[in-house]
Amino acid sequence: MTENAGVKHGGAPGSRGRTTIADVVVEKIAGMAARDVIGVHALGSGFARSMGSMRQRMPGGGSGKSATRGVSVEVGEVQAAIDLEIVVDYGVSITDVAGAVREDVISAVERMAGLQVVEVNIAVSDVKLPDEEDEEEERQRVQ
């Protein structure tokens, strides 16, 4: 069955063909948007961040913060569902940070990928206390 849009040569160029978006693309968009929210210290659980830190020390193990750490997505043809695991800074309102993360992630994914975001689930796995050292600071001291 063919559809005739009334235009010669198969319709507008923008409507010829299909665009697919890989899960990792949506993961990176969501991860970057979440990291930009004030009050988000990091993404991923403490274990995931530790493993990433160890991977960085190994030759060929990685070049820095993984843009997808703490982010998982399910991407369909027109919709996406996103799960985030975040660490918040001590003293911030967790509900306010979670709301801002949802808004920014939904906006970024819908604008950049053109997918309808049906849900953004957020798990707060830790709170960064002011007197705790960052893993990066520890790594620099131990070298």
Side-chain angles (χ1 to χ4, degrees):
M1 180 181 208
T2 60
E3 185 176 323
N4 186 351
V7 179
K8 283 187 170 184
H9 308 295
S15 66
R16 296 181 200 169
R18 249 177 55 166
T19 302
T20 57
I21 299 172
D23 291 6
V24 70
V25 173
V26 178
E27 287 174 350
K28 286 181 179 182
I29 293 168
M32 292 302 294
R35 279 184 184 84
D36 286 345
V37 173
I38 294 172
V40 174
H41 179 75
L43 268 64
S45 66
F47 178 73
R49 291 192 324 271
S50 295
M51 292 305 291
S53 176
M54 288 181 63
R55 251 193 319 273
Q56 288 175 342
R57 294 181 198 149
M58 299 171 69
S63 60
K65 271 198 268 186
S66 171
T68 61
R69 184 182 310 141
V71 183
S72 64
V73 302
E74 290 180 40
V75 179
E77 287 187 28
V78 295
Q79 295 180 327
I82 302 166
D83 294 324
L84 299 169
E85 187 172 4
I86 67 172
V87 176
V88 297
D89 291 320
Y90 177 79
V92 300
S93 166
I94 293 173
T95 56
D96 290 349
V97 170
V101 167
R102 276 191 188 91
E103 286 181 28
D104 287 7
V105 167
I106 290 169
S107 175
V109 171
E110 289 184 346
R111 179 177 47 83
M112 294 178 70
L115 296 167
Q116 177 192 15
V117 178
V118 294
E119 65 182 8
V120 176
N121 299 310
I122 299 171
V124 178
S125 62
D126 202 359
V127 173
K128 166 65 171 74
L129 300 175
D131 60 342
E132 289 179 332
E133 287 187 22
D134 281 338
E135 292 163 7
E136 195 166 303
E137 291 171 4
E138 284 181 28
R139 192 174 350 103
Q140 289 175 357
R141 194 180 76 219
V142 174
Q143 291 179 357

